[in-house]
Amino acid sequence: MATVSDVKDEPEQPPALTSLSLAEAAQETKSKEQSITPFDVSGGFDEQGKPKAIDYDKLVDTFGSQRIDKPLLERFEKVTGHKPHRMLRRGLVFSHRDLNLILDKYEKGIPFYLYTGRGPSSDSMHVGHTIPFEFTKYLQDVFDVPLVIMLTDDEKFFHSPKLSLKDVYKFTILNAMDIIAVGFDMKKTFIFADTAFVDGGFAAAFSNNVREMGKRTTINQIRGTFGFNDSNNIAEFNFPAMQSATAFATSFPFIFGNDAKKVAKVPCLIPCAIDQDPYFRQCRDNAPKMGLLKPAIIHAVFLPSLRGSESKMSASDADSSIFLSDTDNQIKKKIGKAFSGGQDTAELHREIGGRTAVDVPFQYLTFFLEDDEELERIRVAYERGEMQSGEMKMACTKELQAYVRGFRERRKAVTEEVRMEFMRPRQLVFKGMPSEKEQQEAREKRIRILEEELDRLRTGDRSA
């Protein structure tokens, strides 16, 4: 069997994915390297056992991605005619794979689509979860392209011993409604849950791509990338092929049409947090072997935990997170306890100033405060000691209360009927969509398949 080291790496990628593996146990010392995988996010520990902040520059080097630099941002603005989102301007969306190629295709009028997702593990999302979705909405609005959102309820069931299928289904429905409340365009957005979609009769092409990807992915690759061992269940080993399939337009003929050769040329751009990159490195490695395009990727940093920048917000830790269901008073209390970069006394703070680099309330303002000039004013005042920690927390509280309050108002408008329409397999509306003739042919083909299935059910023939 081939090992990960036998698999050819992409340009600018690390020599072998095994170097990122959780399976490489740390030395028996207090120091520990940072670990960034879909299942573990930690900045690591220094020689004294003190937690360290996540080093994103190191991640770019280790993962072999590229920094989003000033020339790329300038080109983005020139090509799209839109000011870069605040998360791009501030380096919060910081790394990419082939974003330049997506801009090339957009300039030439070649259509592409967006793909992002969420693993539903709680009944309410927190504000950290909204970061990639808010940015994805911006991209959908700017490029006017279709979007596919994958809810990986199966992954959460496979990987979480305490979660039942009933639990993850409930979380999936509630999370879908939260995601819709971000403000996506229904005509251009399809949301699906893995379990319902695969079993629902529209996933034949999707399932074929899962099989094609699965055939080209070895057990050793999965072990090396995710640190799995003999204690992991077999479903976990197979899931990366499932997550990869959504990155191919051929998985969705009801959106992009049945002309496989034509649809195979439709590129995909995946906005995601950097911890999801391991899935898509393997996807990119195997895509050309399937005759398909490598997906482009754009990476966001994590919204820090309330406890500090050493880890991200976690739905499993209520004290580390601000949930979209939190009240104004709950938000105020949580921000009041957030890790501060202020000094031990007011006098010392006025003398040497605060540390915005580690101050969690200031970090949250960099994510949520739109006004660049106001953010800079706050930064300068805090670092000069002209703004105290309490004032910083008040400014952050005000901004987050407004953000969550706006979400709650939009969430009220998301009915069960709205959710069902977003999650119904259907033709989306976008430039370059299949012609009326292609859509009609697809409908007729679908009708024939359903009629044949009904005939088999009526006659009791289940063999086909």
Side-chain angles (χ1 to χ4, degrees):
M1 180 179 291
T3 66
V4 177
S5 298
D6 295 326
V7 180
K8 184 178 179 181
D9 289 318
E10 296 177 31
E12 301 183 352
Q13 288 223 144
L17 292 172
T18 47
S19 64
L20 309 175
S21 173
L22 288 176
E24 295 179 356
Q27 297 292 323
E28 293 298 322
T29 64
K30 291 183 179 180
S31 66
K32 183 180 179 182
E33 288 297 314
Q34 69 179 7
S35 174
I36 308 296
T37 77
F39 313 109
D40 180 43
V41 174
S42 169
F45 299 88
D46 63 19
E47 293 293 337
Q48 287 72 45
K50 182 180 178 181
K52 297 190 297 184
I54 295 169
D55 186 338
Y56 290 102
D57 288 328
K58 185 175 181 179
L59 276 181
V60 170
D61 293 337
T62 304
F63 282 11
S65 60
Q66 293 178 297
R67 268 281 184 182
I68 296 176
D69 55 18
K70 184 177 179 181
L72 185 58
L73 285 180
E74 290 173 348
R75 182 166 183 237
F76 181 97
E77 184 167 4
K78 180 180 178 181
V79 169
T80 65
H82 289 78
K83 181 181 180 180
H85 191 276
R86 64 178 183 276
M87 285 188 264
L88 278 170
R89 301 195 305 267
R90 297 169 187 170
L92 304 175
V93 174
F94 71 106
S95 169
H96 76 101
R97 299 185 189 277
D98 293 343
L99 176 59
N100 54 315
L101 298 184
I102 291 292
L103 294 177
D104 289 344
K105 293 180 184 298
Y106 181 75
E107 270 189 313
K108 297 175 183 176
I110 298 173
F112 70 94
Y113 75 106
L114 298 166
Y115 155 35
T116 194
R118 155 97 179 121
S121 58
S122 61
D123 55 6
S124 175
M125 290 165 47
H126 58 61
V127 292
H129 292 139
T130 67
I131 299 301
F133 288 112
E134 182 187 336
F135 182 66
T136 299
K137 180 187 181 303
Y138 163 83
L139 293 176
Q140 184 183 52
D141 293 343
V142 165
F143 289 108
D144 191 24
V145 291
L147 164 65
V148 175
I149 299 175
M150 181 185 201
L151 298 177
T152 57
D153 53 344
D154 50 350
E155 179 202 26
K156 289 302 177 185
F157 173 67
F158 299 151
H159 196 71
S160 306
K162 295 181 180 180
L163 290 180
S164 67
L165 281 171
K166 183 178 180 181
D167 291 332
V168 293
Y169 179 75
K170 179 184 75 171
F171 297 156
T172 297
I173 299 304
L174 293 172
N175 285 190
M177 298 177 86
D178 284 351
I179 291 166
I180 292 166
V182 172
F184 293 108
D185 186 338
M186 182 188 289
K187 293 180 180 179
K188 295 181 173 63
T189 307
F190 172 54
I191 302 174
F192 73 96
D194 287 354
T195 52
F197 180 59
V198 170
D199 296 337
F202 281 85
F206 179 90
S207 296
N208 282 339
N209 279 336
V210 173
R211 296 183 189 103
E212 293 282 358
M213 180 60 68
K215 182 178 180 179
R216 291 164 174 81
T217 306
T218 69
I219 293 296
N220 279 348
Q221 282 180 296
I222 300 301
R223 288 181 188 273
T225 303
F226 300 103
F228 290 171
N229 54 44
D230 291 346
S231 67
N232 289 90
N233 60 63
I234 59 175
E236 290 178 281
F237 278 89
N238 183 63
F239 178 76
M242 176 81 77
Q243 183 146 321
S244 293
T246 310
F248 306 127
T250 53
S251 292
F252 307 101
F254 55 88
I255 296 176
F256 299 104
N258 288 289
D259 186 338
K261 290 184 178 180
K262 178 181 176 181
V263 175
K265 297 177 182 178
V266 177
C268 175
L269 173 61
I270 305 172
C272 62
I274 188 69
D275 62 335
Q276 296 299 301
D277 190 73
Y279 282 117
F280 300 116
R281 286 199 302 276
Q282 290 195 344
C283 175
R284 284 168 57 85
D285 187 54
N286 288 324
K289 303 171 188 176
M290 298 167 60
L292 299 172
L293 298 175
K294 294 180 181 183
I297 312 168
I298 187 166
H299 302 122
V301 304
F302 305 110
L303 186 68
S305 161
L306 285 161
R307 296 192 179 96
S309 56
E310 299 83 11
S311 61
K312 66 174 183 175
M313 276 195 182
S314 172
S316 61
D317 184 358
D319 292 332
S320 76
S321 306
I322 294 174
F323 289 89
L324 295 169
S325 57
D326 282 349
T327 64
D328 283 0
N329 192 46
Q330 287 174 315
I331 293 171
K332 181 179 179 181
K333 287 182 177 179
K334 288 183 176 181
I335 295 298
K337 297 177 181 179
F339 184 84
S340 171
Q343 304 302 330
D344 293 339
T345 66
E347 291 77 12
L348 184 60
H349 186 91
R350 281 192 289 270
E351 180 182 343
I352 64 176
R355 299 160 294 163
T356 56
V358 298
D359 191 274
V360 168
F362 179 78
Q363 295 302 313
Y364 289 178
L365 287 174
T366 66
F367 280 87
F368 296 104
L369 179 61
E370 179 64 34
D371 190 326
D372 291 339
E373 292 183 1
E374 176 63 8
L375 182 67
E376 178 63 7
R377 184 196 69 78
I378 291 172
R379 183 193 68 79
V380 170
Y382 194 67
E383 292 181 353
R384 288 178 176 174
E386 298 166 358
M387 172 185 274
Q388 292 287 332
S389 295
E391 296 174 287
M392 177 69 79
K393 290 183 175 182
M394 286 175 58
C396 177
T397 296
K398 180 180 178 182
E399 196 65 32
L400 275 171
Q401 284 175 337
Y403 185 87
V404 174
R405 197 179 303 125
F407 169 83
R408 285 198 298 262
E409 289 301 312
R410 295 191 301 273
R411 181 65 166 77
K412 291 176 184 178
V414 182
T415 63
E416 178 63 9
E417 291 72 24
V418 169
R419 180 198 67 78
M420 291 177 66
E421 181 62 15
F422 266 95
M423 300 185 77
R424 180 175 66 86
R426 66 202 189 282
Q427 175 66 63
L428 301 182
V429 179
F430 57 95
K431 183 179 179 181
M433 62 189 285
S435 66
E436 286 294 333
K437 181 181 178 181
E438 290 176 296
Q439 292 181 51
Q440 181 61 33
E441 290 174 350
R443 285 191 291 268
E444 291 173 354
K445 181 179 179 181
R446 181 67 187 156
I447 289 170
R448 288 196 300 272
I449 293 172
L450 291 174
E451 287 176 341
E452 291 171 1
E453 179 65 18
L454 284 172
D455 288 341
R456 286 195 294 270
L457 290 173
R458 290 191 185 103
T459 60
D461 179 10
R462 303 293 182 88
S463 61

